[in-house]
């Protein structure tokens, strides 16, 4: 019997659209907008009113939408979310906001509101506050050949008994050419549970594959 | 049975200079490293002071963008030396930082704030086996990185791991805090009625963890936990819920009760919001009067990604010396009185367990219990 974590839900946001095992499947063409959408996209797709969504940068929106697409509020009761971890990995970090903020410095017009979002972990906070996730939070930095570190780190926390559930994934958003970094837009998020936790797995544990997130994307589409 | 992670070596560099002993002696003597800015003097930011690396402790010709790498390596070398120079080719690195290296953002370099690339440079410079992980989880990063190292040892993945937190001040960082209007123009005064915001500092702190008790300096990690406020990305929960959760969960994971904790190192950034809510959250977590508590950002400045490791080292020192140093800058506390803020050095009747707590943007919280 496998003692690997159980994946209860998956959400994907990329240049095609938004897909999730909770049932959402919509393209940006259908939404008549460019990825990752407009300030109204979260409400339009998920029916979720969100007073602060419009302040989010592209990285935050991409991650928030992907987390929503997992259906995590339906998968995890509020009391479970009190100890649910939130762990992501990223190769490009908060680079878009970094560039925007740096350009503001060059003009001597400091964009102070952007500064907190120059930390790649801030977008995790945007997910945490929307879903009441009060467990450990961590943002891992990875290279392109290190995919799946967030999954493996979440498994450690599960094995160690610190948590029974986790929201885990990758987010990389970069819309311009930057040397040594890959442009693109993608967030893949899954809801994990300990192997013996309540709930049905939607896909096998993929963390040992070269591109574990490809397997998660396939299960959504 | 869960394997223990013992502290085998420590290293540090900060506004007081190079060396763990320099750091500890200065902090416990009540000195302050927040001096008029020199390296960053030309920057127009609303503070006169910072805890910059003294000019004589890092090569003056070093590019500012290389400081996190250089400082991280210095701290790592000292930690390895204290541990008796184990075979470093068999030891991997876990690195914590907030903004890593920015040479590509600010100029023609290749640095785009990648903690992993910074970690690879530090590991290569020190001659380590490689990098286990690199994180940027705001100002709780250092404690979280230590937790990651401890967990790898506990689960049997490694026998030793070197954890380092490193950050250096630059225009990107100073202008950001300045623009948010959270900086004290003078040395910060955590928990004081007249506090006006943060002071910042350069820093790197390293801890070598080992499963081998014979390599221990007399300290082990007894437990740790993370949490999230889940209420706002920059402001803390008004009841300090997150930091209280981190503290109580860390104590619970250590198999202890809150009454077992003998000393606490605070986050204490000196913003009005942080200090107020931290005191409430910890007062609630300890269900009454907390253990004697101190913070050191009024002495080193807030060293960002290095704060967790540097302040963990100071928590260990409080246990080893059985003394809690005074909170420098604190004259008139106006926070929840359940937080036992030490205003004069205080001898500890018992010094077995200490806890370090840390917070960061994004609601990130962490707590770690050390046992002497």
């Amino acid at each position: 019997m496998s003692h690997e974590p159980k994946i209860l839900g998956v959400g994907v946001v990329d240049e095609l659209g938004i897909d999730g095992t909770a049932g959402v499947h919509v393209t940006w063409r259908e939404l008549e907008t460019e990825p990752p959408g407009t300030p109204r996209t979260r409400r339009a797709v998920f029916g979720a009113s969100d007073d602060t969504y419009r302040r989010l940068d592209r990285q935050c929106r991409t991650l928030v939408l992907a987390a929503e697409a997992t259906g995590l509020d339906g998968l995890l009761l509020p009391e479970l979310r009190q100890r649910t971890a939130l762990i992501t990995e990223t190769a490009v970090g908060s680079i878009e906001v970094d560039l925007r903020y740096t350009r503001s410095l060059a003009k001597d017009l400091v964009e102070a509101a952007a500064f907190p979002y120059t930390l790649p972990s801030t977008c995790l906070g945007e997910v945490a506050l929307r879903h009441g996730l009060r467990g450990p939070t961590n943002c891992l930095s990875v290279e392109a050949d290190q995919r799946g570190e967030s999954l493996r780190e979440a498994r450690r926390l599960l094995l160690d008994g610190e948590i029974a559930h986790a929201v885990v994934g990758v987010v990389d958003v970069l819309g311009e050419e930057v040397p040594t970094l890959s442009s693109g837009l993608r967030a893949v998020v899954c809801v994990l549970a300990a192997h013996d936790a309540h709930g049905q797995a939607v896909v096998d544990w993929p963390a040992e594959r070269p591109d574990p997130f490809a397997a998660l994307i396939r299960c959504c589409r | 049975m869960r394997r223990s992670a013992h502290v085998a070596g420590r290293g540090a560099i900060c506004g007081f200079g190079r060396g763990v002993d320099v750091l500890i002696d200065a902090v416990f003597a009540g000195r302050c490293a927040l001096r008029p800015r020199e390296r960053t003097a030309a920057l127009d930011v609303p503070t006169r002071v910072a805890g910059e690396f003294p000019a004589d402790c890092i090569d003056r010709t070093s590019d500012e963008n290389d400081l996190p790498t250089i400082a991280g390596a210095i701290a790592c070398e000292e930690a390895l030396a204290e541990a008796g120079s184990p075979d470093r080719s068999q030891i991997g690195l876990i690195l914590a930082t907030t903004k890593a290296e920015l040479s590509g953002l600010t100029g023609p370099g290749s640095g785009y704030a990648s903690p992993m690339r910074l970690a690879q440079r530090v590991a290569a410079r020190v001659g380590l086996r490689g990098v286990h992980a690199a994180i940027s989880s705001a100002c709780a990063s250092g404690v979280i990185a230590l937790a990651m190292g401890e967990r790898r040892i506990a689960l049997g993945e490694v026998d030793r791991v070197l954890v380092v937190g490193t950050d250096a001040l630059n225009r990107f960082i100073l202008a950001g805090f300045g623009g948010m209007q959270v900086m004290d123009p003078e040395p910060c005064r955590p928990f004081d009625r007249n506090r006006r915001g943060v002071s910042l500092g350069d820093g790197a702190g390293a801890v070598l963890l080992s499963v081998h008790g014979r390599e221990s300096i007399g300290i082990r990690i007894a437990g740790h936990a993370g949490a999230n406020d889940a209420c706002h990305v920059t402001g803390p929960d008004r009841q300090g819920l997150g930091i209280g959760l981190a503290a109580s969960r860390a104590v619970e994971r250590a198999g202890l009760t809150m009454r077992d904790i003998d000393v606490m190192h605070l986050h204490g950034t000196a913003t009005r919001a942080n200090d107020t809510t931290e005191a409430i959250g910890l007062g609630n977590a300890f269900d009454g009067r907390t253990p004697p508590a101190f913070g050191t950002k009024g002495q080193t400045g807030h060293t960002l990604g290095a704060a967790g490791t540097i302040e963990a080292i100071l928590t260990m020192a409080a246990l080893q010396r059985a003394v809690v140093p005074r909170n420098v800058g604190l004259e008139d506390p106006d926070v929840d009185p359940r937080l036992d803020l030490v205003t004069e050095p205080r001898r500890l009747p018992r010094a077995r367990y200490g806890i370090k707590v840390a917070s960061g943007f994004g609601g990130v919280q962490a707590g770690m219990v050390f046992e002497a």
Side-chain angles (χ1 to χ4, degrees), chain B residues 82-107:
Chain B
E82 180 173 39
S85 301
D87 182 1
R88 59 182 66 191
S89 71
Q90 299 304 307
I91 298 173
L93 183 71
I94 296 176
L95 181 138
T97 186
T98 56
K99 289 312 294 178
E101 195 263 288
L102 301 175
S103 60
L105 283 172
T106 59

Side-chain angles (χ1 to χ4, degrees), chain A residues 50-63:
Chain A
D50 190 334
D51 293 339
T52 59
Y53 186 77
R54 63 177 50 251
R55 77 169 177 224
L56 303 188
D57 62 271
R58 285 170 17 109
Q59 181 191 31
C60 288
R61 288 184 187 179
T62 304
L63 185 64

Side-chain angles (χ1 to χ4, degrees), chain B residues 33-88:
Chain B
L34 296 172
R35 298 178 295 272
R37 293 185 288 118
E38 291 183 5
R39 191 181 80 245
T40 63
L43 300 177
D44 182 18
V45 292
T47 185
R48 190 177 62 86
V49 301
E52 295 173 356
F53 295 131
D56 62 354
C57 77
I58 286 190
D59 182 354
R60 293 186 190 204
T61 64
S62 302
D63 187 296
E64 180 180 80
N65 288 308
D66 290 333
L67 289 179
T69 302
I70 296 169
I74 289 171
C76 287
E77 290 285 1
E78 185 184 11
L80 289 165
E82 180 173 39
S85 301
D87 182 1
R88 59 182 66 191

Side-chain angles (χ1 to χ4, degrees), chain A residues 82-85 134-138 157 162-163, chain B residues 140 143-144 147 151 223-229 242-243 245-247 249-250 253 358 363-368:
Chain A
Q82 292 294 311
R83 287 190 181 247
T84 295
R134 292 199 166 86
T137 307
N138 199 1
L157 273 80
E162 182 174 350
I163 60 171
Chain B
V143 176
I144 294 172
R151 196 177 293 116
H224 54 80
N228 196 295
D229 260 348
I243 199 165
L245 285 175
R249 288 172 180 173
R253 294 276 298 162
V364 184
Q365 317 286 336
M368 178 165 282

Side-chain angles (χ1 to χ4, degrees), chain B residues 134-199:
Chain B
I135 68 170
S136 175
S137 295
C139 302
S141 292
V143 176
I144 294 172
L146 284 167
M148 294 172 74
E150 190 277 347
R151 196 177 293 116
R152 279 165 168 75
I153 288 177
L155 293 176
E157 289 184 29
V158 297
D159 285 351
R160 297 187 187 89
V161 60
L162 185 53
V163 180
V164 67
T166 182
D167 260 312
L169 302 182
N170 50 45
R171 185 175 181 222
F172 189 107
I173 291 170
L174 285 164
F177 279 94
M180 292 181 67
Q181 300 181 322
V182 294
M183 299 189 80
D184 195 318
E186 297 297 322
C188 69
R189 308 183 64 175
F191 303 102
D192 191 85
R193 183 178 304 277
N194 296 309
R195 64 188 185 276
R196 292 183 288 179
V198 308
S199 294

Side-chain angles (χ1 to χ4, degrees), chain B residues 297-315:
Chain B
K297 292 183 174 71
Q299 297 171 270
T300 61
H302 190 347
T303 54
L304 308 172
T309 48
I310 286 177
E311 294 168 15
I313 288 170
L314 293 168
T315 310

